[in-house]
Each structure stands twice: as structure tokens, then as C-alpha cells.
Amino acid sequence: MNPGAPDVNSALLEAVSSGADTILINQPAGLALAILKAAEEQDLRDAFNWIAPTPLYDLSAPDAVGEYWHGHIYVNAELAPFQVNGPHAQNWIRVMDGYAREEDPRDTFAQAGYLSAKVFTETLLEMDPADVDDRAKVADAIRGIKNKTSDLMCGPYYVGDADFHMPNHAGYMVKIVEGGYEIVRDCYEYEAPYFEPHHALEAKLGIK
């Protein structure tokens, strides 16, 4: 589907005609909601299992999908669902409410931006102030980040020195319900051969 000129009905019909029993909507929230609206118009809810990755984890989505879909869409949340409500999650909401626009999404990507900024700022504050304007020393400090924990993540955050970087390979499964999301599976590791190099790197770096 061309995201610049999306034809959600054609994409939906193609998925329906594939013979699958599950439809994964891997689109930004706006397009995902448009696809779900088209599926509702054709009353396709009970014909398939409906799943989505983290872009559909957005505080506005439960109201946007409406009662028709409540209890029928499962979403993988890469960071902690809002009701986990740890200290970092609470601070993230305060930052969003204090500095973001009302229409800015309260979603996983906003959480990730907050978390990245928090870790980066803490790293700079741990440095000698005289070294903060030294690009090479800042880069070394960033590569040295490891075992940073947060209630927003299921595992530790790290950077390290490697050709790849993916510290977050665990998450939650949630279900869209009236007024929010219900956690149906707490923190779990994603299982695939793809992650084997990441596990090997973490063992080498001493990631706990």
C-alpha cells in the first residue's frame, strides 16, 4: 500500500482474499484506524484475528476504534503500558502535559523519545563538565552506556560498540478495550533467530 496515497479498501480486500485467518495491521496509527474503519463497514471483525505492532499503542486509539472493536484487537507494546505507572512513566506524562501540544500523541514513540533523552542527559551529567564539548569523549561515553533500567522497559538499555543496536527486544501484549488497553501478557522476550546476534553482543558487553 502506498502510504502517500493509500487505498485502504483495496489493501483490505487483498488481505481478506489471501485466505489468512489473522490480519496484522503494520501501519501508522492513522492508516491503521482507516483500515479498521473499512473492515467495520464490511463487518469483518469476527472473520479474522486482528493484531498490530506498537504504532497502534496510542491513548487515542481505544476511543477512535469504537465499541465495535473493543476486545478484538491485540497490540504489541514495545514499552510499558500506561497503567504500569512507574516513576519514569509518570514523569513522562508530566513532561508531555507540561511541554507537548495537546494533540501530540501519547504513545510508545513519545515514551521512547523521553527515555532516550533521559539516558543521554544522565550520561552527560556523569561526565566531567570540561569534556562535554569534546565530541570524541561524548561518543565514548555514549558507547559506554549499559545496564540502564527503567519502568518503561522490560530489560536494560545499553549502546555498546557494534555495527547494530537493538537493546529493546521484549514487550507487552495488550488488548484494546473500552477506555484503554488491557494487559494480556506481561514482559516477554521476542523469540526469533534474528535476535541471536543481539544476545551474543549483550553477553560480551556484560548486559544483565
Side-chain angles (χ1 to χ4, degrees):
M1 184 168 63
N2 179 359
D7 184 344
V8 296
N9 286 299
S10 294
L12 179 62
L13 289 173
E14 185 176 350
V16 168
S17 66
S18 69
D21 62 6
T22 299
I23 294 182
L24 164 65
I25 305 178
N26 189 15
Q27 298 289 344
L31 278 178
L33 293 172
I35 292 169
L36 290 168
K37 179 64 176 176
E40 180 179 353
E41 290 171 353
Q42 299 181 49
D43 197 23
L44 295 173
R45 182 191 65 192
D46 297 329
F48 302 92
N49 301 304
W50 297 88
I51 59 176
T54 206
L56 200 54
Y57 190 75
D58 182 316
L59 274 179
S60 66
D63 286 343
V65 298
E67 182 180 359
Y68 177 86
W69 287 108
H70 290 161
H72 295 276
I73 306 170
Y74 292 82
V75 180
N76 172 249
E78 294 178 16
L79 296 177
F82 304 120
Q83 62 262 48
V84 172
N85 205 30
H88 294 168
Q90 293 176 36
N91 183 245
W92 161 69
I93 283 290
R94 287 195 296 270
V95 169
M96 292 294 293
D97 289 347
Y99 300 97
R101 296 171 300 180
E102 185 176 346
E103 65 268 24
D104 289 334
R106 273 60 173 169
D107 60 8
T108 299
F109 300 109
Q111 289 177 316
Y114 165 86
L115 188 60
S116 297
K118 183 177 187 301
V119 171
F120 178 67
T121 302
E122 289 174 351
T123 301
L124 292 183
L125 289 172
E126 291 166 1
M127 294 178 63
D128 184 331
D131 293 336
V132 171
D133 63 351
D134 186 316
R135 183 184 182 92
K137 290 181 179 179
V138 171
D140 286 341
I142 292 171
R143 282 191 288 268
I145 293 171
K146 70 175 185 178
N147 292 326
K148 291 281 190 178
T149 59
S150 171
D151 51 88
L152 289 172
M153 288 183 67
C154 292
Y157 186 88
Y158 66 91
V159 177
D161 192 0
D163 295 331
F164 52 87
H165 180 244
M166 190 179 181
N168 191 35
H169 39 72
Y172 297 76
M173 283 300 295
V174 298
K175 177 171 61 176
I176 295 180
V177 295
E178 182 179 1
Y181 295 83
E182 175 187 333
I183 298 173
V184 296
R185 187 178 183 186
D186 283 314
C187 281
Y188 69 99
E189 283 284 334
Y190 306 146
E191 297 179 9
Y194 175 85
F195 298 108
E196 291 175 3
H198 299 275
H199 292 311
L201 174 65
E202 288 166 6
K204 179 180 178 181
L205 294 174
I207 303 301
K208 299 175 183 177

